[in-house]
């Protein structure tokens, strides 16, 4: 029996953070930062789990912008 587990976008963002990458939410269907969360673009990227969870709780359709 093959089973698959689907991770949410938030879970993927947290996984990037655990690897040491800062992340920022992107506007849905875009490569532009979601300015409601990150007004200074990549300068506001974060590895903070609580902040990442809050971003995707408020904007579950946001994409992920990893930033190193």
């Amino acid at each position: 029996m093959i089973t698959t587990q689907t991770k949410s976008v938030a879970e993927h963002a947290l996984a990037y953070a655990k690897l040491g990458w800062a992340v920022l939410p992107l506007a849905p269907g875009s490569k532009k930062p979601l300015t409601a969360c990150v007004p200074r673009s990549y300068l506001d990227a974060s590895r903070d789990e609580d902040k990442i969870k809050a971003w995707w709780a408020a904007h579950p359709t946001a994409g992920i912008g990893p930033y190193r």
Side-chain angles (χ1 to χ4, degrees), residues 7-60:
K7 287 187 177 184
S8 69
V9 177
E11 290 172 314
H12 283 284
L14 289 167
Y16 277 121
K18 287 179 183 176
L19 291 173
W21 289 59
V23 297
L24 63 152
L26 302 177
S30 172
K31 292 186 179 182
K32 294 182 181 181
L34 189 60
T35 56
C37 298
V38 288
R40 299 180 311 146
S41 186
Y42 70 91
L43 296 174
D44 291 327
S46 181
R47 288 184 289 276
D48 180 86
E49 287 188 26
D50 292 332
K51 185 177 281 190
I52 293 167
K53 288 176 185 177
W55 283 340
W56 271 276
H59 305 278

Side-chain angles (χ1 to χ4, degrees), residues 3-7:
T3 60
T4 59
Q5 292 180 324
T6 304
K7 287 187 177 184

